[in-house]
Amino acid sequence: MKSLDRQSLEEQTRLVSRYVAGDLSRSERAEFEAWLIASPELANEVEMERRLRRGIASAARRGWLSRNAPRSVPSPRRHWHVAIAASLVAALAAGIVMFAPRADKPLVAETRAPARHLPLVASRTVHLASVRGAAGTPDVEMSRADAPGELVIQPDVVVLTCEDGSIEFECAGGAAPATPQYPEYEADLVDRGRATLAWRSPRQSPVSGTQLSFSVRDLASFRAGDYDLIVRGHAADHEEVVARFVLRIN
């Protein structure tokens, strides 16, 4: 592949679409992800493409689109009005309006402050949509003084595909997509202030009809500050960051 700086707008748009759809070869994906890490603008394009596909797929499953709608997903640059409409569909369904991706920070040793009290609440469950809330606003916020003994995070990040891995409105024979895009998912909590890995979940496989659930224990022992909650999908030959959220501990 040519350098992204030398590619035309059309070529770059097609490349982003192929990356999100999983159509790149292993070497192409590795090269593209190296560019992705170094380019916030490209990361925004990828996130827009994901939101567009999820929004249209969600609308199609709810019957909001006619069955004879085009099967291919339009480019967000060439058909911006469709992208905005799809993003609004996703936002209305999730009750949020905006996403702001950030570059990953280096992960090093785990660091925690000693626990100082017993939790007032045994467990708290938080449901997170596939895209973030308003810019600068944490998705989850709590104080160490009343932190639960266990925080159960359920992010809505599993994209359903056809059996061949394609992301379509409907699969062969009119069936709805039912295969998770990745067989396993895991979550990390990264301390922004220190750029350290504070917690990592075990990997889990998505179960039909249920959401992923990641349990973080003893939050009172974490340092006060902002944490990036990073959710990754894992396949046999690669992994991908599928969502980022912000947890703030006061």
Side-chain angles (χ1 to χ4, degrees):
M1 291 188 295
K2 298 181 292 184
S3 168
L4 285 182
D5 294 335
R6 297 180 180 178
Q7 285 185 325
S8 69
L9 184 62
E10 286 290 317
E11 289 174 325
Q12 182 169 323
T13 299
R14 284 195 295 270
L15 188 59
V16 168
S17 181
R18 289 179 58 207
Y19 173 73
V20 174
D23 290 338
L24 297 182
S25 67
R26 183 181 302 183
S27 61
E28 288 175 326
R29 173 177 285 269
E31 189 175 0
F32 183 88
E33 289 178 344
W35 289 326
L36 189 63
I37 292 173
S39 173
E41 293 80 9
L42 185 59
N44 279 326
E45 291 292 338
V46 170
E47 184 58 33
M48 181 182 293
E49 180 77 11
R50 287 188 181 129
R51 290 172 61 187
L52 171 62
R53 288 172 180 267
R54 290 171 184 168
I56 295 178
S58 177
R61 287 196 297 272
R62 289 170 170 80
W64 297 348
L65 302 179
S66 60
R67 295 182 62 86
N68 59 354
R71 294 180 62 85
S72 60
V73 178
S75 161
R77 288 179 175 174
R78 287 173 293 167
H79 302 281
W80 57 268
H81 56 290
V82 178
I84 292 176
S87 297
L88 288 175
V89 168
L92 290 172
I96 52 181
V97 296
M98 191 174 179
F99 178 83
R102 299 173 305 282
D104 288 340
K105 296 184 178 180
L107 305 181
V108 291
E110 175 179 350
T111 57
R112 293 191 187 182
R116 296 183 178 179
H117 74 290
L118 295 176
L120 299 177
V121 179
S123 179
R124 174 184 171 188
T125 299
V126 176
H127 303 280
L128 297 174
S130 57
V131 292
R132 286 198 52 215
T137 303
D139 302 279
V140 185
E141 186 170 7
M142 62 186 60
S143 68
R144 293 177 61 196
D146 59 4
E150 177 186 51
L151 177 65
V152 180
I153 301 171
Q154 295 184 333
D156 182 15
V157 297
V158 178
V159 176
L160 298 179
T161 71
C162 299
E163 289 187 3
D164 61 1
S166 62
I167 301 176
E168 301 286 355
F169 299 150
E170 59 183 41
C171 305
T179 303
Q181 186 178 18
Y182 290 97
E184 291 184 315
Y185 292 81
E186 71 178 1
D188 291 345
L189 274 178
V190 179
D191 186 333
R192 280 192 182 182
R194 295 188 177 183
T196 59
L197 178 64
W199 169 86
R200 171 168 288 171
S201 75
R203 292 189 189 181
Q204 62 179 272
S205 299
V207 178
S208 177
T210 64
Q211 287 187 300
L212 298 173
S213 289
F214 301 107
S215 299
V216 187
R217 299 181 183 275
D218 197 19
L219 277 173
S221 67
F222 285 64
R223 296 175 62 253
D226 285 352
Y227 292 79
D228 288 322
L229 173 62
I230 301 172
V231 184
R232 289 185 175 85
H234 288 269
D237 58 351
H238 71 277
E239 65 180 53
E240 179 185 357
V241 173
V242 295
R244 291 183 178 90
F245 305 96
V246 176
L247 165 66
R248 177 170 295 168
I249 302 177
N250 299 315

